[in-house]
Amino acid sequence: KSERAIEYLKKRGLTGQIAKTFQLGYAPEGWQNLESVFKKYDDEALNIAGLVLKNDQGKRYDRFRDRIMFPIHNVSGKVIAFGGRTLKAEKDIAKYFNSPESDLYHKSNTLYGLHLAKNAMVKEDNCFLVEGYTDVIALHQAGVENVVASSGTSLTEGQIRLIRRFTQNITILYDGDKAGIKASFRGIDMILKEGLNVRVATFPDGDDPDSYSRKHSSEEIQLYVKENAKDFIRYKTALLLEEVGNDPIKKAGLIRGIVDSIALIPDAIKRSVFVQDCSQIMGIGESVLFLELNKSLQENLKKGPGKPVSSEEGGVHTTVEAPTPFDETIPIPDALSAEAQERDFLRILLM
């Protein structure tokens, strides 16, 4: 039955060599193929590994059945979990699911393909971030190796810090679906909060990273991204301005949302540059935006350094840790109260 899996991969344009590179496999149909191999292992070990389960009658059975298997590696290249894509057409069957979390596998601290991408990320000083397994694999096959995936989960601080070990620059590759892009805004805010530089590139004509990479060479992909990637703050401003039109109420809400994102950036110089850019794009005076920025910084201060700020946007819930607006790298904004300035001045003296 593995011929079905091979045929599926061929239809996706994947070669045998790239399948070997990513160690792709197949879990056959049947309930006890893997369980029969692991009979000598006890229930607890197999349950923790997430490979074999037990039903109400105490009978053990395989978790993955009739699925293309995508091994998930840690940063050093050791397999720590699996993702499986079904080959069945039934709508009530999940298309993808992963191994459960374990002592080895914490999805919030794992990026698919990082073990193969880390050297290229250092060399290119950039990380391409995509959503799925096949996006990573197809780009690798096209010769673009500095690419990782969040594997369909909301981006986490742990994943962002993994990327930061190898580069300060992230370019997020989207398929052009505006609703999906908006839903990811809070995750991108977390990247800003961590001090990384974020750019966004969308592919044309409904293409996603997978389909686009099957039609273009490495040089063409790199050139397209270079010419079309936009800084996230500018991209978010332009995208939302297009939606609000001339509605003044919606535009006011847009301005506050943009300023809240800028306030997360630790570097004061970058914040100032983004305020100037947004002032020109939105036709709003810089002084007004700086005033709103100071208000946002004050709100973050009231929440306290390190306390989570929970938000929901586009149906996706994420938690963003409040930045510390007062540290040795960030000047105290003029608009903050004298009491707040005195308190911070004392903190710095004590440190």
Side-chain angles (χ1 to χ4, degrees), residues 233-245:
I233 297 294
R234 297 186 184 100
Y235 181 87
K236 179 178 180 180
T237 303
L239 178 65
L240 297 183
L241 266 179
E242 182 181 324
E243 292 187 356
V244 303

Side-chain angles (χ1 to χ4, degrees), residues 52-346:
V52 174
L53 305 175
K54 184 186 287 188
N55 63 19
D56 295 338
Q57 289 73 43
K59 190 174 182 179
R60 304 198 310 190
Y61 63 95
D62 298 349
R63 172 186 288 271
F64 296 100
R65 304 177 302 280
D66 194 25
R67 288 179 178 267
I68 302 285
M69 299 300 293
F70 298 85
I72 299 170
H73 304 76
N74 64 13
V75 68
S76 64
K78 300 284 182 66
V79 176
I80 56 174
F82 294 92
R85 190 212 187 274
T86 185
L87 289 174
K88 299 183 185 297
E90 289 85 346
K91 292 183 178 180
D92 59 338
I93 296 177
K95 182 180 288 187
Y96 282 95
F97 64 71
N98 291 351
S99 300
E101 295 213 346
S102 66
D103 291 341
L104 291 176
Y105 174 54
H106 300 280
K107 62 183 180 181
S108 62
N109 293 319
T110 304
L111 287 164
Y112 182 73
L114 181 61
H115 67 296
L116 296 173
K118 58 186 180 182
N119 291 337
M121 286 163 57
V122 173
K123 180 180 178 181
E124 301 292 336
D125 194 20
N126 191 18
C127 173
F128 289 157
L129 181 62
V130 296
E131 185 177 5
Y133 305 130
T134 55
D135 294 327
V136 172
I137 296 169
L139 283 167
H140 259 267
Q141 183 169 279
V144 179
E145 297 183 353
N146 57 321
V147 55
V148 299
S150 58
S151 302
T153 62
S154 299
L155 198 62
T156 67
E157 288 183 1
Q159 292 171 331
I160 296 167
R161 288 168 183 169
L162 266 178
I163 295 173
R164 192 173 61 187
R165 289 169 56 181
F166 305 100
T167 179
Q168 292 285 319
N169 302 297
I170 298 178
T171 302
I172 303 177
L173 306 182
Y174 286 115
D175 61 8
D177 175 33
K178 291 184 179 180
I181 295 171
K182 286 180 64 180
S184 68
F185 279 175
R186 280 296 175 185
I188 300 177
D189 278 350
M190 293 173 67
I191 302 176
L192 295 176
K193 181 257 176 185
E194 290 294 330
L196 277 68
N197 305 311
V198 193
R199 298 177 71 81
V200 175
T202 55
F203 289 102
D205 303 323
D207 272 327
D208 58 21
D210 180 3
S211 61
Y212 191 85
S213 62
R214 281 186 263 137
K215 297 182 288 189
H216 297 83
S217 67
S218 171
E219 292 75 15
E220 290 172 332
I221 296 169
Q222 296 278 11
L223 180 61
Y224 178 85
V225 172
K226 182 178 180 180
E227 291 179 345
N228 291 275
K230 301 177 182 177
D231 183 271
F232 170 64
I233 297 294
R234 297 186 184 100
Y235 181 87
K236 179 178 180 180
T237 303
L239 178 65
L240 297 183
L241 266 179
E242 182 181 324
E243 292 187 356
V244 303
N246 295 320
D247 188 319
I249 303 299
K250 290 182 179 180
K251 190 172 183 179
L254 158 67
I255 293 169
R256 293 189 182 93
I258 297 296
V259 167
D260 285 344
S261 290
I262 296 174
L264 294 171
I265 299 172
D267 188 279
I269 295 176
K270 289 181 182 178
R271 290 202 307 264
S272 178
V273 170
F274 283 127
V275 166
Q276 293 170 6
D277 285 349
C278 292
S279 171
Q280 295 178 1
I281 295 172
M282 294 186 290
I284 302 293
E286 286 183 27
S287 59
V288 175
L289 294 181
F290 274 115
L291 181 60
E292 288 299 317
L293 177 62
N294 281 342
K295 288 180 181 178
S296 185
L297 290 171
Q298 288 185 71
E299 286 300 316
N300 290 337
L301 178 64
K302 289 177 182 177
K303 294 181 179 77
K307 293 182 180 179
V309 185
S310 295
S311 302
E312 290 192 8
E313 184 170 331
V316 177
H317 181 273
T318 57
T319 300
V320 183
E321 189 178 271
T324 306
F326 299 140
D327 61 27
E328 288 71 30
T329 64
I330 304 176
I332 298 172
D334 293 335
L336 293 180
S337 68
E339 181 182 355
Q341 292 184 33
E342 289 173 1
R343 185 167 58 250
D344 197 67
F345 181 60
L346 288 172

